[in-house]
Amino acid sequence: MASFDIVSKVDPQTLENAVNTAKKELQTRYDLRDTKGGIELDKKANTVTLTSENSMRVKALEDILLTRVVKQGIDGTALDFTAEEQANGALIKKVIKVRAGVDKEAGRKIIKAIKDGKVKVEAQMQDDQIRVTAKKIDELQAAIAILRRTDIGQPLQFVNMKS
C-alpha cells in the first residue's frame, strides 16, 4: 500500500532568521526608531512577542514580521495573528503563536476535503499529522492536488511518500 504523511511545521532556523532580519529593519526604520520594546522569539513556546507603546506601532511590527517571514520562504498562514493585544504597564504586548502540527479541527477539514474529492484513499489522524494510504500512487497524487486547492488555514507539507 502506498502512503504519505501530511504535516504542518516551520523550520526553526528559518523563523529565527526572519525574526532577526525584522529586528534589524526595526532599528533602521525612521518612524519606529525611538520605539521601546520590539520583537522577541521564544523557541520553546514557539511564539513571537511584539511589544510597543501603542497599537499602531504593534500593527507596524506585525507587518514587518509578516513581510520578513514570507521573504524567508515561510508561509504567512503559519503565524496566528488572532491573539488580542494586552496592556502591560506603558507597553502593549501581542503574542503570536507559530502553528506547528495539524490540530484536530484542521485535521477534520483535511479529511473532509479528501472524502469530498471522491478519491479512493484512506486518511487517518496520528497525533499531529495525517497518514493517507491508497493502493496506487496516482490516487495519492490526486489527493495532494485536492489539498493544494483547498484552503485549510495553515501551511501543509506532504512528506514520507512510500510506494
Side-chain angles (χ1 to χ4, degrees):
M1 297 267 299
S3 68
F4 71 91
D5 296 332
I6 302 171
V7 297
S8 178
K9 58 185 172 183
V10 175
D11 181 34
Q13 185 61 46
T14 308
L15 180 64
E16 185 176 4
N17 291 343
V19 170
N20 289 337
T21 308
K23 285 181 185 179
K24 286 181 184 176
E25 183 177 339
L26 175 65
Q27 293 171 351
T28 60
R29 288 232 339 221
Y30 183 76
D31 58 338
L32 300 172
R33 184 165 290 168
D34 296 329
T35 301
K36 293 181 179 153
I39 303 171
E40 295 297 323
L41 174 65
D42 184 4
K43 292 180 185 178
K44 290 183 181 179
N46 215 15
T47 60
V48 179
T49 306
L50 308 175
T51 53
S52 188
E53 293 91 10
N54 57 35
S55 60
M56 181 186 77
R57 287 188 175 174
V58 171
K59 184 68 177 159
L61 292 176
E62 282 181 20
D63 292 340
I64 291 171
L65 178 65
L66 184 61
T67 302
R68 292 300 162 191
V69 163
V70 170
K71 282 189 178 180
Q72 287 287 333
I74 299 173
D75 193 346
T77 58
L79 300 176
D80 185 11
F81 288 104
T82 59
E84 292 293 319
E85 298 174 353
Q86 302 168 349
N88 187 7
L91 296 176
I92 295 176
K93 176 175 152 181
K94 185 168 186 176
V95 178
I96 299 170
K97 291 178 69 176
V98 180
R99 294 183 178 131
V102 179
D103 59 348
K104 292 201 182 285
E105 185 177 322
R108 285 189 202 115
K109 286 181 185 177
I110 291 169
I111 292 171
K112 184 179 182 320
I114 290 172
K115 286 184 179 178
D116 289 347
K118 300 196 184 332
V119 183
K120 294 181 182 179
V121 296
E122 294 245 351
Q124 54 185 322
M125 285 287 295
Q126 295 179 343
D127 293 332
D128 60 346
Q129 68 181 15
I130 296 173
R131 167 96 16 113
V132 181
T133 58
K135 291 183 180 177
K136 297 180 183 176
I137 290 184
D138 294 340
E139 294 166 350
L140 293 178
Q141 291 173 341
I144 290 173
I146 290 168
L147 291 174
R148 288 189 194 274
R149 290 190 302 260
T150 306
D151 180 30
I152 303 299
Q154 69 184 73
L156 299 176
Q157 292 88 30
F158 307 102
V159 297
N160 208 11
M161 177 79 94
K162 295 178 184 175
S163 57

